[in-house]
Amino acid sequence: MIGPLSIDAYLPAFPRIADEFGVGASAVQFTLSTYMLGSIAGVVLTGPLSDRFGRKGPMLCCLMLFGIASLACAFATSIELLAAARVLEGFAAAAAGVLLVATVRDRASGVEGARIQSWLVTVMMVAPIVGPLMGSGILAVASWRWIFVLLAGCAALWTLVIATCFRETLPPERRHAADVRQAFRGLRLLADRRFLAPAIAAGVSLGALMAYLAGSSLVLQGAYGLSPEQFAVLFGLNAFGIMLATGLNRRLLHRFAPFQIMVGGMFASAAAALMLLAGAGLAPDTLVAVALPLAFLVASWALIQPNAIVLIMHDHATHAGTASSCLRVLQACLSAVIAPLAGIGAATSALPLAVLIAVLSITGLALTVVLMSRSSFPGVEPVCDSAAAA
C-alpha cells in the first residue's frame, strides 16, 4: 500500500498546495515527477542489494526512510523543498515495491504467482479508496501538511509489523554477491522479447494509470467542479472497480493462461481509452461521459499488471530482485514523463488527458501484440483441475 497511498492521499490537496506556495498546477504536479525520479534510484539500488542481503532488512530500511521523508514533506517551506522530499519518498516506496515483487517470486511462479499478485492488488487497492478519503477528510479540518504526518505514522506502524511478523523469504544459501552494476546489466533484458512484451504491457498500463492519477484531480475538480470530498468518493469507486477486476482475474486464471488475460486486458484498456476520447470530445460538459470510461480504464489495470509481472519474473527466479528492478525502472521513467503531461489543460478540459491516455493504450497494445506474436511463454498455462476450480 505504501506506493499508492503516498500518491493518492495528497491528490485532493493539489489546489491547496498550489495556493499556499503561490505556484501553478504544473509546479505541484512536478512533485509527482520528482517522486518518480526518486523511484528510479530506488529500484536500481534495491533489487541487487536484496538479492545479496535478503528482503526483510532492506524492507525495514525503506519504511524508516519513508517515514523520515514524509515528515520532511510535512515541514516543507517551499514547493522546491516539497519536491526534494518527494524524491526520498519515491525512493523508499519504489524500493518497497521491488521487494514485494521479489518476495512473491521467492515463494511462487506461474499461475500460482499470478493468483498471489491478484490478491496483493486487491489489498493494495485499499489505498486508492482510503487515500483520497483520508486526504479530503484532513483537508476539511486541517492543513494538507497533516496528510504527510499521517503517512509518517503509517510508516512507523508498518515498520513495527514487518519487524515482528514478516519472515525472510530468501535464505542465505540462495543469495548472490551485491553488485549494483547488475541492475544496469539487467537492462539487457530489454532485448529479450519474452521480457519486453509483458514489460511494455506493465509499463503502459501503469503509465495510463499515472496519467489518471496526475490529471484526474485537476480535471474533475477544475473542469467539472467537484469538491475534494466528491472527488475522493469517485476516486474510491474506481479503486473498488479494480478490486472487482482482480476477483475476475483470479477466476479467469482457471481457464486462461496469464498472457491471454494480459492481452485481453490491454484490448479492454484501449477500448476504454477510445470511449474516453469520444466522451471528452463529443460531450465535454457531461461528467458521466468521462467518469465511466475512466472507471473501465482503471479496472483493466487489474487484468494487465499481475499477469504481466508473472510473465516477466518467470525466467528470473535466481535474480528476482534485479529483474524486478529493471521492470520498475521502465515504469518509473515512463511515469515521470507522463505526470507533468497529464496536467496540460486539465483544469479546463478533459480532452488533453483523454488524448494522452488513448495514445498510451493503443501504442502499448500494438507493440505488445507484435512482440508476443513472435514469442512463446511456456510454464504459465492455466490450471483446470477440479481442486483449482473449487
Side-chain angles (χ1 to χ4, degrees), residues 198-226:
I200 288 177
V204 170
S205 68
L206 183 65
L209 186 67
M210 177 55 62
Y212 163 75
L213 294 175
S216 62
S217 175
L218 294 172
V219 167
L220 297 175
Q221 293 187 70
Y224 292 95
L226 297 187

Side-chain angles (χ1 to χ4, degrees), residues 279-306:
L282 300 177
D285 298 325
T286 306
L287 176 61
V288 69
V290 171
L292 191 59
L294 278 176
F296 283 109
L297 176 85
V298 172
S300 68
W301 181 82
L303 300 177
I304 301 170
Q305 198 77 8

Side-chain angles (χ1 to χ4, degrees), residues 4-389:
L5 194 60
S6 60
I7 295 175
D8 302 334
Y10 92 129
L11 290 179
F14 273 22
R16 297 272 188 94
I17 296 173
D19 290 342
E20 180 169 332
F21 291 131
V23 297
S26 60
V28 181
Q29 283 187 311
F30 183 67
T31 63
L32 274 177
S33 294
T34 59
Y35 178 94
M36 291 302 164
L37 291 174
S39 299
I40 295 172
V43 298
V44 167
L45 294 173
T46 306
L49 290 176
S50 72
D51 285 338
R52 170 62 181 89
F53 297 106
R55 316 303 185 197
K56 184 171 183 176
M59 181 70 79
L60 291 171
C61 293
C62 291
L63 290 172
M64 288 186 285
L65 177 61
F66 182 83
I68 294 170
S70 295
L71 289 177
C73 290
F75 291 99
T77 56
S78 67
I79 193 67
E80 292 81 11
L81 290 176
L82 177 61
R86 290 285 287 172
V87 173
L88 294 178
E89 255 195 342
F91 181 99
V98 169
L99 293 167
L100 172 65
V101 173
T103 297
V104 173
R105 185 60 187 88
D106 290 340
R107 293 184 175 275
S109 62
V111 172
E112 182 61 24
R115 289 179 182 146
I116 295 175
Q117 290 288 351
S118 292
W119 279 112
L120 293 176
V121 168
T122 302
V123 174
M124 187 175 68
M125 283 303 104
V126 173
I129 295 174
V130 173
L133 291 172
M134 180 184 79
S136 61
I138 290 175
L139 291 175
V141 297
S143 167
W144 60 268
R145 298 176 184 275
W146 284 97
I147 296 174
F148 291 101
V149 172
L150 186 55
L151 287 176
C154 290
L157 176 61
W158 292 330
T159 301
L160 178 62
V161 170
I162 294 296
T164 57
C165 301
F166 180 72
R167 290 183 297 174
E168 178 62 64
T169 61
L170 188 67
E173 61 271 16
R174 290 173 52 196
R175 298 177 187 178
H176 305 277
D179 185 359
V180 174
R181 291 174 297 177
Q182 181 67 28
F184 293 98
R185 288 197 293 268
L187 295 177
R188 290 178 299 180
L189 292 170
L190 297 179
D192 180 1
R193 286 194 179 96
R194 286 178 58 177
F195 179 90
L196 188 57
I200 288 177
V204 170
S205 68
L206 183 65
L209 186 67
M210 177 55 62
Y212 163 75
L213 294 175
S216 62
S217 175
L218 294 172
V219 167
L220 297 175
Q221 293 187 70
Y224 292 95
L226 297 187
S227 67
E229 292 77 15
Q230 291 171 326
F231 167 74
V233 170
L234 184 58
F235 196 91
L237 288 175
N238 285 348
F240 184 70
I242 294 183
M243 296 178 69
L244 294 178
T246 57
L248 174 62
N249 183 56
R250 290 194 297 273
R251 289 182 174 274
L252 290 175
L253 284 166
H254 294 307
R255 313 187 85 178
F256 302 97
F259 75 89
Q260 293 173 312
I261 302 173
M262 183 192 77
V263 174
M266 294 200 71
F267 274 103
S269 175
L274 291 175
M275 290 171 55
L276 174 64
L277 188 60
L282 300 177
D285 298 325
T286 306
L287 176 61
V288 69
V290 171
L292 191 59
L294 278 176
F296 283 109
L297 176 85
V298 172
S300 68
W301 181 82
L303 300 177
I304 301 170
Q305 198 77 8
N307 298 297
I309 289 175
V310 166
L311 294 174
I312 289 166
M313 303 299 291
H314 183 259
D315 295 330
H316 306 287
T318 57
H319 291 88
T322 300
S324 180
S325 289
C326 187
L327 169 63
R328 295 283 176 161
V329 166
L330 178 65
Q331 291 181 320
C333 289
L334 186 60
S335 298
V337 173
I338 289 170
L341 293 179
I344 298 175
T348 57
S349 172
L351 188 58
L353 179 63
V355 170
L356 175 62
I357 290 176
V359 169
L360 284 169
S361 299
I362 294 171
T363 303
L365 173 62
L367 289 173
T368 303
V369 169
V370 169
L371 290 169
M372 295 192 75
S373 66
R374 303 176 183 178
S375 306
S376 61
F377 294 90
V380 285
E381 297 302 316
V383 174
C384 300
D385 57 46
S386 57

